[in-house]
Amino acid sequence: MSAVDGFSLACPASAPFFGYFGAASAMALANLGAAYGTAKAGAGISGMGVSSPHLVMKALIPVVMAGVVGIYGLIIAVIISTKVSSPRLVDGSMKPQYTLFGGAAHLASGMAGGFSGLAAGIAIGIVGDVGTRALAQQGKLFVGMILILIFAEALGLYGLIVALIFSASTTGNCPE
């Protein structure tokens, strides 16, 4: 009996690759969005701080919200990576424990969460940049800016919810 006898079409040796790629995608894409949002909003805060330094603490909200998007990616990546299982050696043969369906579900989970986080980070960055600069000109715009930021953050939250649903789906069992 060879070391790969237990693998089948339902549980190929490549299945864990797709699961881990989903986890890496969630982490990388969401953090890319968070980094862009932080940088873009930070540039706006710096520009606004020159003329209105008393508003800098108020203007930090977009930076915090961009950081939360990165946390969404971390949550998704941790959940996916704990569900990926490696083959086990049983009676001299490697027996798979992770299905191709599980790999595809976890890849979709990571991509949904990651791209949603990327979109949310971009939106937060643009609103944070323009909003903080406008805040220096007109203080009454603060509530409107916060509402727009909340809706931008919701994009990342929607991705997190969908990713959790995808990763919680039953993935089946490998044939014996």
Side-chain angles (χ1 to χ4, degrees):
M1 205 179 249
S2 86
V4 294
D5 284 344
F7 292 98
S8 67
L9 291 176
C11 298
S14 61
F17 167 80
F18 295 107
Y20 282 123
F21 192 78
S25 296
M27 194 71 210
L29 292 169
N31 281 329
L32 188 61
Y36 178 85
T38 300
K40 188 84 168 145
I45 292 168
S46 297
M48 183 268 306
V50 172
S51 62
S52 302
H54 62 281
L55 293 174
V56 169
M57 292 308 288
K58 244 182 164 177
L60 285 176
I61 293 172
V63 173
V64 173
M65 292 180 86
V68 170
V69 171
I71 294 170
Y72 293 163
L74 175 66
I75 291 168
I76 296 165
V78 168
I79 288 172
I80 291 172
S81 66
T82 58
K83 293 186 176 196
V84 178
S85 50
S86 62
R88 283 191 264 167
L89 187 62
V90 177
D91 297 329
S93 176
M94 297 299 284
K95 298 292 181 191
Q97 306 296 313
Y98 190 67
T99 64
L100 185 58
F101 181 82
H106 293 144
L107 175 62
S109 173
M111 294 296 232
F115 278 116
S116 294
L118 179 61
I122 291 170
I124 289 168
I126 292 170
V127 172
D129 181 20
V130 175
T132 54
R133 291 176 196 264
L135 183 61
Q137 303 298 315
Q138 177 56 260
K140 294 179 182 176
L141 293 173
F142 181 72
V143 174
M145 180 186 77
I146 296 300
L147 286 173
I148 295 168
L149 286 169
I150 288 169
F151 286 114
E153 180 82 29
L155 298 173
L157 188 59
Y158 299 153
L160 174 67
I161 292 166
V162 169
L164 292 176
I165 291 169
F166 283 171
S167 66
S169 65
T170 55
T171 58
N173 296 321
C174 294
E176 292 296 324

